[in-house]
Amino acid sequence: MNKVAYPYLPETARISYVPPDDGYMLAAREIAQQKSLDKVMPTGAVVVRDSKIIGRGANGSDYHAENQCERVKRGIPTGQGYELCEGCSPKNHAELRATENAKANGYDPAGADLYLWGHWWCCESCWRAMIAVGIAKVYLMEGSEILFNKEAEGNIVGRQFA
């Protein structure tokens, strides 16, 4: 696999890749398809510890359905300015929702892994939140840097479930 130039990656972060048919990745995909409110970049995440899914989360909010995205209006690049738009707020990101769901389910996510479907990197806010709760590693889907990258030729953005 080519070295991926992530828009943000903490020095201590660990990312690995799994095939699209990995069971946990399929679970993250299912969460994205069933629960995401983001129609352009539906994203799902599952938190896994001791071979068990302990948390689930999907991205999005209904804010963009009635309001234009402030980041889009201002031409702000991906990964930046999330605090400027209620719909883009990190509280609406799959990673944070999955870790919060794990805690709500009575689990401590420390030492767990997070599987992320529908995106090719994690923003700074999500990394900070995951590191704070002790997520050990993030797994992305093989080819995600092309498939879910709006800038990449050959992406599937807007037709992820087609």
Side-chain angles (χ1 to χ4, degrees):
M1 169 172 271
N2 295 337
K3 183 149 174 73
V4 177
Y6 303 103
Y8 180 79
L9 183 65
E11 198 172 295
T12 59
R14 292 176 44 214
I15 293 178
S16 290
Y17 289 86
V18 295
D21 62 352
D22 175 88
Y24 298 125
M25 193 57 66
L26 288 172
R29 182 187 190 277
E30 183 177 333
I31 294 297
Q33 188 169 23
Q34 293 177 355
K35 303 286 186 185
S36 177
L37 297 175
D38 188 325
K39 301 307 177 207
V40 177
M41 293 299 296
T43 304
V46 294
V47 177
V48 177
R49 191 178 69 204
D50 300 326
S51 301
K52 177 182 178 180
I53 295 175
I54 62 171
R56 294 170 170 82
N59 69 329
S61 77
D62 58 5
Y63 181 87
H64 289 137
E66 296 184 20
N67 302 282
Q68 187 177 3
C69 176
E70 193 59 38
R71 294 174 54 249
V72 170
K73 284 194 316 192
R74 295 182 189 192
I76 297 172
T78 188
Q80 299 175 23
Y82 290 133
E83 71 281 357
L84 300 174
C85 179
E86 177 62 26
C88 297
S89 171
K91 71 182 180 185
N92 296 321
H93 292 193
E95 302 97 318
L96 181 62
R97 285 186 172 161
T99 58
E100 291 297 319
N101 180 252
K103 291 189 283 188
N105 290 337
Y107 294 101
D108 179 0
D113 297 324
L114 186 134
Y115 288 73
L116 183 66
W117 186 93
H119 219 339
W120 64 282
W121 66 287
C122 302
C123 73
E124 183 175 357
S125 295
C126 287
W127 273 118
R128 275 191 272 127
M130 289 187 293
I131 290 168
V133 299
I135 293 292
K137 186 187 287 188
V138 170
Y139 287 89
L140 300 174
M141 189 173 80
E142 290 173 347
S144 61
E145 71 280 4
I146 294 170
L147 296 172
F148 305 123
N149 183 344
K150 293 177 187 177
E151 310 296 319
E153 188 175 320
N155 74 53
I156 60 169
V157 174
R159 55 187 201 291
Q160 289 90 322
F161 303 113

